[in-house]
Amino acid sequence: MPQIEQIAATLSSQVFWLLVFFGLTFVFVGLGMVPKIMGTVDLRDKQIAGDLAAAQTARDEATSEEEAWRKRENANRAAAQGVIGAAKAKAAAASSVKLAEAQTRLDGRLAEAETAIDAARTSAMAEIEAVAADAARDIVARVAGADVELAAAQAAVKEAMAHG
């Protein structure tokens, strides 16, 4: 068979060209494309690592800014509470002064009223004694037909009121 006899002659030629093309492919791909691809992968890995580092740095800065903001906010709250406390104390002091002034005015009015009441009471008691003395004289005159002096009637009324 002639086809089988040709295999030996063409096989070595085909193997040779196969090795040449595989070699060229290896050189082209292995030495030309793979380093470029690996360089791109390394560059991408470095860029990702840099981006992650930048993100972590930004996160740390944001955390420190937030911490500083919280401290300022707490200090501002404490200052506001101090201002509110001072305002309350000032208002309480002003109210105390106003209440003391009002109490002094009320005490003065009360003393005046008590004096007026005492004077009215004394005047009323004097009028009651005078009316009672006149009534006692009239009653004695009508009942007993005797005329009692005004001074005696007043003395009897005072004694009766003192015991009564």
Side-chain angles (χ1 to χ4, degrees), residues 40-160:
T40 304
V41 169
D42 288 341
L43 181 64
R44 192 190 75 193
D45 288 343
K46 287 179 186 177
Q47 186 176 7
I48 289 172
D51 290 347
L52 288 175
Q56 185 62 38
T57 303
R59 174 186 260 169
D60 293 342
E61 288 177 10
T63 302
S64 65
E65 285 293 323
E66 181 182 8
E67 182 80 21
W69 176 82
R70 287 186 192 277
K71 286 180 182 178
R72 283 192 313 269
E73 188 66 24
N74 289 338
N76 289 341
R77 274 196 194 116
Q81 290 297 330
V83 168
I84 290 170
K88 283 182 180 179
K90 185 177 178 182
S95 294
S96 294
V97 168
K98 287 181 181 180
L99 285 174
E101 290 173 358
Q103 187 64 39
T104 303
R105 284 194 310 267
L106 287 176
D107 289 344
R109 286 183 184 174
L110 182 62
E112 291 173 5
E114 286 177 354
T115 303
I117 289 172
D118 286 341
R121 183 181 297 138
T122 304
S123 173
M125 290 303 271
E127 287 181 25
I128 289 173
E129 286 177 8
V131 170
D134 284 341
R137 279 182 66 208
D138 286 343
I139 290 172
V140 168
R142 284 187 191 169
V143 172
D147 189 23
V148 179
E149 290 186 16
L150 184 60
Q154 286 176 345
V157 168
K158 281 186 183 182
E159 183 179 331

Side-chain angles (χ1 to χ4, degrees), residues 1-18:
M1 286 198 142
Q3 292 95 2
I4 295 179
E5 289 176 9
Q6 287 180 334
I7 289 179
T10 59
L11 182 64
S12 63
S13 170
Q14 287 179 353
V15 169
F16 170 75
W17 286 111
L18 179 69

